[in-house]
Structure formats: structure tokens, C-alpha cells
Amino acid sequence: LIIAGAGSGKTRALTHRVAYLIQEKNVRPWNILAVTLTNKAAGEMKERIAKLLVAQAGQGPATREDFPTVGTFHSICAQILRRHIHQLGFENQFVIYDANDQVVLMKEIMKDHHIDEKQLNPKAVLGAISQAKNQLMSADDYALHAHNPFTEKVGQLYKPYQRRLAKNQALDFDDLILKTVELLEKFPDLLDQYQERYLYISVDEYQDTNHAQYTLIKMLATKYRNLCVIGDPDQSIYSWRGANMQNILDFEKDYPEALVIKLEQNYRSSPVILDAAHSVISRNLHRKEKKLWTERDGGSKIQILKTRDERDEAMRVAQAIM
């Protein structure tokens, strides 16, 4: 478990670790999986790892097997599903619906159920379904736990939405992880195959993983327990889309043998900024203690600005920069 503060070089730590496994420990790249949350971060990781391998070996990876699997949760799950989703009754060449496709489909289903979209926002319904899928909650489970008029309506629409997706041989974005977990749960031999392939797993931004992502990683890592996660509970910002900070706070409960490393040297900010930030975040009740420091000196004093709202704040900051 690497607790990495802001500006402490966590991407560098993760990419150098992958290169170290290959160059110093003779781990086959084929057996390494590195996962992150965004396409941008995945692209940066791939680029940095490629440069490190070229620098250390004097030449670049020659084949796909000579390069580790690096990507987002969704891209890696899509790769697995393209090979195996026929075992769940889908075609391997399934379609992935984007947000617009989802809204069009939900409007059709609401029309079939005589629900006026002026009374019930289709995007709000899809948002609730997305949250449910991030919790690995099926349509039946959701309907069972509906507790107010809105969740009852969502429960009414969730199952036909899934049926229509299946009929169209389509998955939405959240299904990519949900269906991968379902596939690996239903077919233990397939899970074993991927556990044997991904012997060394690294996860970036672990503080912003949701329950579905956590479950997937736990399934893949259970056999060999060669798991390295990097993150910072002080920077968890995605609870509104299902991220669960407890995943990183409870890591040592899941893996009691874990080695914990803290990256506390900051290469980005002045000591003034770091001290001010620490004096705020240290008041949080649920966090792992760390204090960022820097070798840099000085730094301007912090100015406190009182603004009307977030738009006024943005305008004032932009004016100050200009």
C-alpha cells in the first residue's frame, strides 16, 4: 500500500515499479497488469513504462507479450468480455452504448411504461442505475430495496432497461465491470486463467475505486496476493459517482501482510501551501496520518477570498491570473 500525497510522484513510483519487476526481477511483462481510472492517466502510464523499458533494455518492446497490460478498468474489462462474454449469452462483438444512446433507450422504455419524462428525468434514472451497478446491485435487488417514489420508479425501469440492452446486444459503460465480475464469478476456471496470467497487479488512484472495481481487483489478486495499490484518502473526490474511500482505508484488513509506504516529499508546492493544506485536512476523522514536506523555500502568503458562489469564485481567480 503506497500512500502518496499530492505532488509526491505516485505515477513515477508506479511506472518505475513495473519497469523494475521486468528488468530486475525478470517478471514476464505478460504477467503484469496496471490499472487506473482515466484514459489520460493510462496513456501517460503506457508512455512512461515504454520509455523506461527502452532506456533500460536499449530497445523497445517487440511484441504485445513484451509489454505489460496497462489500461483503465473499463478498457481491460472490455478486452476480457470481447473474448468471453458469449458464455453469458452475448455476442463477443457487442455494442457499447454511450450516454446519448442510453438516454434514447431510457426515453423509449419510459414511454412504454407511460412515464412522463417531464415528471421523471431519464438522466436521473440512468444515474441511479449507474450507482446501483457500481455497487454490483442487480435490478431485482434494487427493486427489493426501493424506499421512496423515485427509487420505486427506477426499480420499475431498471429490469426492462437491462432486457433491452441485451436484446440489442449492447452494454453500457457500467456493465463492462459488472459483467466481467459476473463472468469470473460464474466460471471459476476462467477466473483461475486470469489469476495465472496477471500475477502482479498495480492499481492507481485506489482511493477513488468503487465497490465493483474493488471486487474485480480482489478476485484477480486473491490467489497470489501480489497487489500494489497507490492512492491518497486525502484526495478522494468521487464519492458522488460511487467511489468508496474505505477501500484504501481498509486495505490492511484485506491484506494483513501488506507493507505500507508513505510518499510524503512534495515536488510541486511551497511549504506555505503544504502547511495550510495540512492544517485543514488533518481535521478529517477518517484518514491515514501523513504530513507533506518539501525542500523548497519560501512561497507567497495565502490570500483568503470570500466569493458569492462557484461562478464568482472562478471569475475572481481568472481575473487574478490575468
Side-chain angles (χ1 to χ4, degrees), residues 86-144:
H86 61 273
Q87 294 175 248
L88 294 178
F90 280 77
E91 293 173 6
N92 285 352
Q93 296 307 310
F94 57 86
V95 179
I96 301 173
Y97 272 17
D98 65 17
N100 290 336
D101 298 325
Q102 289 178 264
V103 171
V104 170
L105 180 59
M106 183 53 72
K107 284 181 176 180
E108 289 173 9
I109 294 166
M110 287 172 65
K111 194 174 179 182
D112 293 344
H113 284 74
H114 309 292
I115 297 172
D116 186 351
E117 62 182 85
K118 289 176 184 170
Q119 253 70 55
L120 187 67
N121 187 331
K123 288 183 179 178
V125 174
L126 288 165
I129 291 173
S130 173
Q131 290 277 22
K133 289 182 179 183
N134 288 336
Q135 295 297 321
L136 298 178
M137 190 180 281
S138 69
D140 288 335
D141 286 342
Y142 191 94
L144 202 64

Side-chain angles (χ1 to χ4, degrees), residues 129-162:
I129 291 173
S130 173
Q131 290 277 22
K133 289 182 179 183
N134 288 336
Q135 295 297 321
L136 298 178
M137 190 180 281
S138 69
D140 288 335
D141 286 342
Y142 191 94
L144 202 64
H145 291 92
H147 58 277
N148 60 37
F150 173 71
T151 53
E152 284 167 11
K153 279 278 191 292
V154 173
Q156 190 184 339
L157 297 165
Y158 187 171
K159 189 178 271 188
Y161 171 70
Q162 289 303 100

Side-chain angles (χ1 to χ4, degrees), residues 28-244:
R28 290 172 65 212
W30 178 255
N31 293 135
I32 294 174
L33 172 66
V35 195
T36 188
L37 296 179
T38 67
N39 290 323
K40 185 182 175 186
E44 189 180 339
M45 275 165 55
K46 280 181 190 171
E47 199 177 303
R48 288 202 199 183
I49 290 168
K51 280 181 182 172
L52 286 169
L53 295 181
V54 169
Q56 291 174 9
Q59 58 184 27
T63 67
R64 192 168 66 89
E65 290 203 15
D66 288 330
F67 198 82
T69 302
V70 180
T72 64
F73 279 95
H74 294 95
S75 67
I76 286 158
C77 287
Q79 288 172 29
I80 293 171
L81 294 174
R82 291 284 182 213
R83 294 188 201 108
H84 308 290
I85 201 173
H86 61 273
Q87 294 175 248
L88 294 178
F90 280 77
E91 293 173 6
N92 285 352
Q93 296 307 310
F94 57 86
V95 179
I96 301 173
Y97 272 17
D98 65 17
N100 290 336
D101 298 325
Q102 289 178 264
V103 171
V104 170
L105 180 59
M106 183 53 72
K107 284 181 176 180
E108 289 173 9
I109 294 166
M110 287 172 65
K111 194 174 179 182
D112 293 344
H113 284 74
H114 309 292
I115 297 172
D116 186 351
E117 62 182 85
K118 289 176 184 170
Q119 253 70 55
L120 187 67
N121 187 331
K123 288 183 179 178
V125 174
L126 288 165
I129 291 173
S130 173
Q131 290 277 22
K133 289 182 179 183
N134 288 336
Q135 295 297 321
L136 298 178
M137 190 180 281
S138 69
D140 288 335
D141 286 342
Y142 191 94
L144 202 64
H145 291 92
H147 58 277
N148 60 37
F150 173 71
T151 53
E152 284 167 11
K153 279 278 191 292
V154 173
Q156 190 184 339
L157 297 165
Y158 187 171
K159 189 178 271 188
Y161 171 70
Q162 289 303 100
R163 273 201 303 265
R164 288 285 287 278
L165 282 172
K167 185 183 173 187
N168 297 344
Q169 289 295 319
L171 302 181
D172 66 21
F173 210 50
D174 299 302
D175 281 328
L176 294 172
I177 300 175
L178 181 78
K179 290 293 180 188
T180 303
V181 170
E182 184 184 333
L183 186 72
L184 297 178
E185 280 179 341
K186 284 187 175 175
F187 301 98
D189 289 353
L190 192 62
L191 173 60
D192 188 64
Q193 181 184 321
Y194 278 98
Q195 287 173 336
E196 289 295 332
R197 171 162 178 195
Y198 296 131
L199 301 178
Y200 295 86
I201 301 171
S202 298
V203 186
D204 192 21
E205 303 288 9
Y206 195 68
Q207 78 282 352
D208 283 326
T209 53
N210 60 38
H211 180 66
Q213 292 162 336
Y214 161 83
T215 302
L216 175 69
I217 292 298
K218 194 170 183 188
M219 290 171 80
L220 291 172
T222 291
K223 190 170 185 179
Y224 290 105
R225 303 173 81 77
N226 290 326
L227 176 63
C228 172
V229 304
I230 300 185
D232 181 7
D234 290 347
Q235 294 184 74
S236 182
I237 58 172
Y238 288 116
S239 60
W240 56 273
R241 70 176 186 199
N244 183 2

